[in-house]
Amino acid sequence: MSPRTRPSASGRLLRAARRLAAPAAAALLAVFALSSAGTANAVTVPAPPSGWTTVFSDNFAGAANSAPNASKWKFDTGAGSSFGTGEIETMTNSTANTHVDGNGHLAITAVKSGGNWTSGRIQTTTANVGAPAGGKLKVAASIQQPNPASGLGYWPAFWMLGPGQWPENGEIDIMEDVNALSKVAGTVHCGTDPGGPCNESNGIGSGLTACAGCQTGYHTYAMVLDRTNASNESVAFSLDGKTYFTVTENQVGAATWKAAFDHKMSIIFDLAMGGGFPNGVCGCTSPAAGTTSGGAMHVGWVAAYTTG
């Protein structure tokens, strides 16, 4: 289904390091946390895999109720209708919608007031992460999905966007869920809209797949853009280290793939309300009158690693 696309140019498990009296206790805690999917005890951004290098990361440290680090993130504000997806919220730069919690988490919260919804959308200040020629890029985040009492219309997303024209310059949706279903979808967008080799505006995606416990705990969502095979590059999506969907260059053609993915991209977190994806899944217009205000997407850490 269609993600947070913008039809023209422009476009979370880390806690802040605890001050433990014994270094051995800190090390033990870190090992336990990084081996336990769905928990919120990690104390650092995970180190890169052997042979990889960290090229971007954030642990969302900061004073409670403050904005995310302005040297890494910028707000993308305005009416959701301007993003081309049918969403109905207004994205703001208010800490009521987007803030760090003082314990090493980012919270993006959808709020209804007077019949109108507000929420938040942040992206890296530049298109700053990409796979080197002949190498790989891994982008991952620890996220707890929104868990409102009534979630019809909620649309959390962790994704990447190429600079320039959409969808030609690419989009990779690493995590999307709608209507608080506790599911996950991975999708790529490329080529032309409508139609084209990526079937726009739906893109080529996994469809929603089960994501048990993803609303009640932190889980690691990741994608690997693999350029080691120059004749058939690929994007693979994983949940807690298990790959569940892969898209290859041969599915869309070399020229289309190169334009979409052989360059740097921005990383984005946002929480939309309503729009084409949630509406398409429920066969209704969302959010509903009874949709719960105040549901939040929480991010513990985010990181990008490269190799090659």
Side-chain angles (χ1 to χ4, degrees):
M1 300 298 292
S2 175
R4 307 293 191 295
T5 57
R6 181 185 289 275
S8 60
S10 93
R12 253 177 230 176
L13 158 68
L14 173 76
R15 293 183 181 271
R18 294 182 182 274
R19 297 182 180 274
L20 299 176
L28 181 61
L29 177 60
V31 169
F32 172 79
L34 292 175
S35 65
S36 303
T39 66
N41 297 318
V43 296
T44 57
V45 174
S50 178
W52 294 64
T53 300
T54 302
V55 294
F56 174 81
S57 68
D58 197 1
N59 62 5
F60 300 106
N65 298 314
S66 62
N69 189 330
S71 69
K72 298 182 178 184
W73 304 99
K74 62 183 179 181
F75 288 96
D76 198 353
T77 60
S81 57
S82 69
F83 299 139
T85 59
E87 59 200 79
I88 57 89
E89 82 297 329
T90 296
M91 296 297 190
T92 81
N93 60 6
S94 169
T95 54
N97 294 121
T98 306
H99 65 269
V100 298
D101 67 0
N103 294 309
H105 301 88
L106 170 74
I108 302 181
T109 307
V111 178
K112 184 180 182 182
S113 178
N116 298 313
W117 286 90
T118 59
S119 192
R121 170 169 164 157
I122 61 170
Q123 67 183 89
T124 48
T125 56
T126 62
N128 62 334
V129 296
K136 299 179 184 180
L137 167 71
K138 179 177 182 178
V139 179
S142 178
I143 300 171
Q144 181 173 333
Q145 294 187 20
N147 192 25
S150 177
L152 189 66
Y154 274 78
W155 186 2
F158 162 43
W159 53 295
M160 301 167 65
L161 184 66
Q165 183 66 35
W166 184 91
E168 177 183 351
N169 295 127
E171 177 177 338
I172 303 174
D173 303 318
I174 305 171
M175 186 285 295
E176 293 184 283
D177 187 25
V178 293
N179 303 333
L181 295 175
S182 200
K183 295 187 177 184
V184 62
T187 308
V188 302
H189 295 263
C190 65
T192 58
D193 180 38
C198 272
N199 186 36
E200 299 303 346
S201 58
N202 287 334
I204 299 175
S206 64
L208 290 168
T209 187
C211 191
C214 287
Q215 291 177 272
T216 55
Y218 286 83
H219 292 259
T220 301
Y221 303 85
M223 79 89 213
V224 174
L225 173 52
D226 187 344
R227 300 184 62 194
T228 57
N229 181 351
S231 63
N232 192 25
E233 298 177 4
S234 63
V235 173
F237 298 89
S238 66
L239 172 65
D240 292 330
K242 296 180 180 180
T243 300
Y244 66 89
F245 184 63
T246 301
V247 184
T248 68
E249 178 181 349
N250 287 345
Q251 291 177 249
V252 303
T256 296
W257 186 274
K258 179 179 177 63
F261 306 120
D262 289 1
H263 53 72
K264 291 186 176 182
M265 307 177 84
S266 300
I267 298 173
I268 303 175
F269 292 100
D270 78 281
L271 177 54
M273 295 300 298
F277 198 170
N279 291 352
V281 170
C282 72
C284 66
T285 299
S286 68
T291 297
T292 306
S293 173
M297 175 172 70
H298 299 274
V299 186
W301 55 261
V302 59
Y305 313 101
T306 59
T307 188

